[in-house]
């Protein structure tokens, strides 16, 4: 058996006895007199131990003293191991600094006592075990120092082996074990180093969340964590997929940096390289999925989540609707898709696993298809996988690599309903059960028979819910009704967590039959997916089943999902697009929402007040992109409204500011949704900084003017230009000052003259709206 870092109390006797044998023999690599190969690390850890530190009058006394020293040494190691095992993998994140320091203090004491008990500079296990404890407690710099010393000590038998000649077979075996041990220690060090760098990225990210609720303050920049993430790539032989995803995400944030302005060279201007950098980031997102998929397939070989070696005809990441439809058991193209070649429709996937916060479908057993709508899905946060990036390709065999462990996304020890166990070398490992074989959760023994999927990538984000979940709902509405009527309790509709009030509001509007009564609880056929917004994780105030884990998982025998192709090219001036739903789907969704709200083009005309309407989308309570000049802009818009017989309404996502102000006003999610749709459907001009509130323009009438204060250098932020072009709205771009924080900036500012551009666009939009009204009136009179 290989030499390992793991230490167990029941092995102390063997280790101590073998230590005595080595010490008495005074041989650096000596064959054991008993079968100690069944015990961990006794042969190597004591192989170089010197007898010079043992003082005794005779051989009997020497043996007794050696046994005492070895036992005391292993007693102290037990303390370190117990401290490590008593603390779950992810517990250190919730521990106070004081608690961590106390644990490290106890570990340091045991470490010092171990070295004192057996004062020899060749034994690596005290350093290795204490390093693992320091890593778990987040004391990474100390852990790296300890690992370095453990590696030096563990390498001594290898050095001595090559310094001698005529080796016996047992010496060759021992040297092989020593090399194995050094590889393991190096890997452990690399993991610790990686976590050390990740902690620096997390510190940057957490500081922004704690102090700025998610926004990036002006004194920092995404360039800081980007440099660290790029350094992480140097640690493992192949790229960590999460690191690649972070690099791509941070690179996108930097695209609107002032450094990317056009460069003037005399009479010529060199175009900026932001578009090229945007495509580079897009390629990195794709690369992250590729490496994550590789780690996923290696997990399949290890029987992770009931997996098996992949079939050649069921292998690969399938991106977009047409790819999904080719692998589906059935698919139903959208009938009124028009002449477009873009695929839009409903697919049926058989025997799939749904996993992760984005509810990514993947094949079960030997089916290794993974279904993603686009390249922006972080598969490392959604798929069960093993750490195959930690060893070089040359060390990967057709079977398995013993150094790989199950990947813990975000250090979540309960990811995918798993439990922490131990791997063959004693390291913590995530044990993930097969969701098709039964779960601990009562009522979900074998997943679901039929599920209609109404959640997915970032579905709890307002923009993605409006432009992706709602079109999916409309495409599959008949199937949803069938499931709700089904007498089979294992037929369900999976929706985003309804603690996000807009989710509940739109579901009540579009599928009221999913709720017992207006204002009542939802049907038991409705399953919520994703983290709770509030603190009552996993709890519910109604009978709805929840998968409120950060990394949920379930099995579905027959999954219905909406699927469509997304353009990779953003609207002019171009660059890579991000999550742009095709025009036919947007029009179909708009019509369905209007119908459910009792709205049509004719009722909009009849229901208008005599005044024109400006809707301003405020971000004053948002953690990001608050407009510095908002008060001044609102003052000028009020003057415009007063002078042009218009009214100004202020909308802020999450606040039902359009409800009546009396005490009895209806503040329910359904009322908020209805009032939002009514507000934007009656708007003549919509104004706002780039943000999710602008997604409500999908409810606006053809010809409505949309004035977006956006980011010039970020093609992935072309969402609302696309919506305007698809729905016949007049889109006006007024660009903000360039900022290296772009989408993540806490505050944004208009460029010189930008205020006048916004006001001018609003005035022009009101003029056009007034002319349209006059034409409509003339038409009605005829």
């Amino acid at each position: 058996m290989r030499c390992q870092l793991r230490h167990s109390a029941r092995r102390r006797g063997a280790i101590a006895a073998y230590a005595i044998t080595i010490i008495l023999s005074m041989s650096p690599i000596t064959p054991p007199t008993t079968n100690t190969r069944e015990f961990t690390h006794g042969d190597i850890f004591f192989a170089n131990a010197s007898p010079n530190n043992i003082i005794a009058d005779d051989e009997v006394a020497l043996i007794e003293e050696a046994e005492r020293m070895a036992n005391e040494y292993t007693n102290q190691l037990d303390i370190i191991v117990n401290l490590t095992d008593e603390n779950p993998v992810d517990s250190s994140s919730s521990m106070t600094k004081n608690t961590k320091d106390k644990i490290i203090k106890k570990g340091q004491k045991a470490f010092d006592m171990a070295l004192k008990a057996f004062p020899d500079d060749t034994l690596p296990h005290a350093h290795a075990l204490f390093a693992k404890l320091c890593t778990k407690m987040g004391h990474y710099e100390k852990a790296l120092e300890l690992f370095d010393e453990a590696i030096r000590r563990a390498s001594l038998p290898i050095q001595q082996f090559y310094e001698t000649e005529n080796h016996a077979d047992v010496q060759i075996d021992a040297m092989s074990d020593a090399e194995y041990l050094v590889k393991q220690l190096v890997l452990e060090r690399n993991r610790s180093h990686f976590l050390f760098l990740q902690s620096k990225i997390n510190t940057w990210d957490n500081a922004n969340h704690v102090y700025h609720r998610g926004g990036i303050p002006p004194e920092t920049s995404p360039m800081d964590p980007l440099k660290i993430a790029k350094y992480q790539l140097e640690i493992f032989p192949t790229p960590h997929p999460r690191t690649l995803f972070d690099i791509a995400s941070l690179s996108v944030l930097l695209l609107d940096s002032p450094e990317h302005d056009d460069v003037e060279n005399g009479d010529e201007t060199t175009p900026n390289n932001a578009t090229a950098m945007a495509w580079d980031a897009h390629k990195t997102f794709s690369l992250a999925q590729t490496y994550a998929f590789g780690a996923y397939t290696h997990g399949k070989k290890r029987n992770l989540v009931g997996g098996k070696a992949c079939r050649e005809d069921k292998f690969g990441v399938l991106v977009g609707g047409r790819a999904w439809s080719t692998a589906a058991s059935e698919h139903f193209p959208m009938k009124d898709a028009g002449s477009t070649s873009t695929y839009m429709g409903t697919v049926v996937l058989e025997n799939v696993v749904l996993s992760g916060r984005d509810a990514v479908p993947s094949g079960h057993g030997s089916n290794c298809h993974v279904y993603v709508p686009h390249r922006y899905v972080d598969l490392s946060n959604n798929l069960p996988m093993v750490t195959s990036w930690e060893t070089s390709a040359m060390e990967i065999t057709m079977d398995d690599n013993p150094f790989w462990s199950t990947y813990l996304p975000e250090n979540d020890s309960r990811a995918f309903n798993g439990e922490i166990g131990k791997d063959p070398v004693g390291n913590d490992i995530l044990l993930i059960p097969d969701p098709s074989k039964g779960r601990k959760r009562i009522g979900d023994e074998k997943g679901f028979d039929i599920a209609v999927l109404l959640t997915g990538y970032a579905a709890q984000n307002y923009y993605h819910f409006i432009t992706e979940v709602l079109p999916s709902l409309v495409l599959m509405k008949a199937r949803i009704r069938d499931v709700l009527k089904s007498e089979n309790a294992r037929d369900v509709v999976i929706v985003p967590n309804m603690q996000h009030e807009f989710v509940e509001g739109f579901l009540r509007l579009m599928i009221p039959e999913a709720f017992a009564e207006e204002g009542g609880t939802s049907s038991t056929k409705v399953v919520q997916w994703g983290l709770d917004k509030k603190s009552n994780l996993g709890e519910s105030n109604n009978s709805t089943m929840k998968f409120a884990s950060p990394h949920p998982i379930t099995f579905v025998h027959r999954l219905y999902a909406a699927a469509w192709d997304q353009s990779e090219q953003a609207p002019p001036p171009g660059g890579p697009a991000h999550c742009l739903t095709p025009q036919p789907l947007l029009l179909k969704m708009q019509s369905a929402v209007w119908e459910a709200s009792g709205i049509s083009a004719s009722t909009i005309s009849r229901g208008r007040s005599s005044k024109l309407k400006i809707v301003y989308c405020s971000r004053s309570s948002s953690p990001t992109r608050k407009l510095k000049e908002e008060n001044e802009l609102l003052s000028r818009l009020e003057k415009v409204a007063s002078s042009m017989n218009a009214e100004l309404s202020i909308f802020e996502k999450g606040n039902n500011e359009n409800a009546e102000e009396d005490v009895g006003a209806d503040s329910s999610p359904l009322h908020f949704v209805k009032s939002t749709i009514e507000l934007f459907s009656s708007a003549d001009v919509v104004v706002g900084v780039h943000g999710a509130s602008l997604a409500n323009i999908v409810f606006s009438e053809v010809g409505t003017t949309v004035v977006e204060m956006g980011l010039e250098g970020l093609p992935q932020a072309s969402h609302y230009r696309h919506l305007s072009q698809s729905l016949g709205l007049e889109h006006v771009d007024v660009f903000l000052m360039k900022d290296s924080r772009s989408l993540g900036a806490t505050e944004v500012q208009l460029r010189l003259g930008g205020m006048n551009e916004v006001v001018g666009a609003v005035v022009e939009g009101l003029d056009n709206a007034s002319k349209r009204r006059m034409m409509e009136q003339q038409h009605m009179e005829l």
Side-chain angles (χ1 to χ4, degrees), residues 179-426:
E179 289 181 332
Y180 183 94
L181 175 61
V182 170
K183 284 184 180 180
Q184 183 187 343
L185 287 169
V186 169
L187 177 56
E188 291 285 353
R189 186 198 187 281
N190 288 343
R191 286 172 177 164
S192 184
H193 192 191
F194 184 89
L195 291 173
F196 176 42
L197 296 176
Q198 190 63 47
S199 71
K200 290 181 175 293
I201 296 175
N202 294 342
T203 298
W204 179 87
D205 190 50
N206 291 337
N208 296 329
H209 277 82
V210 171
Y211 299 113
H212 304 279
R213 297 189 298 127
I216 305 172
E219 61 270 17
T220 186
S221 160
M223 182 58 73
D224 302 328
L226 179 60
K227 291 177 181 177
I228 300 173
K230 288 182 176 180
Y231 185 30
Q232 283 182 310
L233 289 182
E234 301 175 13
I235 294 177
F236 293 121
T238 52
H240 192 306
R242 177 68 199 198
T243 300
L244 289 170
F245 184 86
D246 286 344
I247 288 173
S249 300
L250 292 165
S251 297
V252 168
L253 284 180
L254 287 162
L255 289 176
D256 203 45
S257 173
E259 288 81 10
H260 300 152
D261 282 336
D262 292 348
V263 180
E264 294 186 2
N265 298 316
D267 296 331
E268 298 182 358
T269 299
T270 303
N272 71 64
N273 61 350
T275 301
M277 293 175 65
W279 281 114
D280 286 343
H282 187 267
K283 291 176 184 177
T284 306
F285 279 118
S286 179
L287 195 62
Q289 288 189 347
T290 299
Y291 279 102
F293 178 74
Y296 159 80
T297 58
H298 286 298
K300 283 276 197 174
K301 294 178 185 177
R302 192 174 278 195
N303 197 231
L304 197 63
V305 196
K308 299 177 182 177
C310 301
R311 290 170 47 183
E312 290 185 6
D313 61 331
K314 298 287 185 180
F315 184 90
V317 178
L318 305 180
V319 184
R322 192 165 299 282
W324 289 33
S325 67
T326 58
S329 59
E330 296 179 73
H331 71 98
F332 310 96
M334 191 173 91
K335 293 180 180 179
D336 48 352
S339 59
T340 177
S341 60
T342 300
Y343 182 87
M344 292 166 277
T346 301
V347 300
V348 181
L349 307 177
E350 303 273 358
N351 298 322
V352 294
V353 174
L354 274 185
S355 61
R357 62 188 58 194
D358 297 316
V360 172
S362 60
H364 183 258
S366 60
N367 182 344
C368 294
H369 278 152
V370 175
Y371 303 84
V372 295
H374 45 68
R375 287 299 189 182
Y376 295 97
V377 178
D378 177 14
L379 291 183
S380 69
N381 235 339
N382 284 280
L383 293 180
M385 59 184 64
V386 296
T387 57
S388 62
W389 52 83
E390 294 182 339
T391 52
S392 66
M394 293 180 63
E395 295 184 69
I396 298 175
T397 66
M398 292 299 292
D399 299 317
D400 200 1
N401 191 303
F403 291 131
W404 296 344
S405 61
T406 309
Y407 177 56
L408 273 72
E410 298 180 339
N411 222 27
D412 178 10
S413 64
R414 293 172 295 278
F416 312 120
N417 288 340
E419 293 181 346
I420 294 300
K422 297 294 179 183
D423 68 6
V425 297

Side-chain angles (χ1 to χ4, degrees), residues 613-627:
K613 182 176 289 186
I614 307 168
V615 176
Y616 177 78
C617 298
S618 174
R619 296 184 62 84
S620 61
S621 62
S622 173
T624 58
R625 302 190 300 284
K626 289 185 282 285
L627 184 65

Side-chain angles (χ1 to χ4, degrees), residues 61-137:
L62 178 65
I63 292 174
E64 290 177 350
E65 180 62 11
E67 183 175 9
R68 184 197 66 76
M69 292 170 62
N71 281 331
E72 178 59 22
Y73 185 75
T74 52
N75 283 338
Q76 298 304 322
L77 299 189
D78 278 341
I79 295 173
I80 299 174
V81 170
N82 290 335
L83 287 171
T84 305
D85 288 348
E86 287 168 1
N87 298 283
V89 175
D90 60 353
S91 66
S92 60
S93 61
S94 59
M95 285 182 184
T96 64
K97 182 179 182 301
N98 186 47
T99 301
K100 293 179 186 179
D101 289 345
K102 285 182 179 179
I103 292 172
I104 290 297
K105 187 176 181 180
K106 291 179 181 178
Q108 181 72 58
K109 181 179 179 181
F111 172 74
D112 293 340
M113 293 292 290
L115 297 187
K116 183 178 179 181
F118 212 109
D120 192 287
D121 63 358
T122 65
L123 305 181
H125 39 11
H127 290 79
L129 293 172
F130 189 35
K132 293 177 72 173
L133 176 62
C134 288
T135 297
K136 186 170 280 190
M137 291 298 106

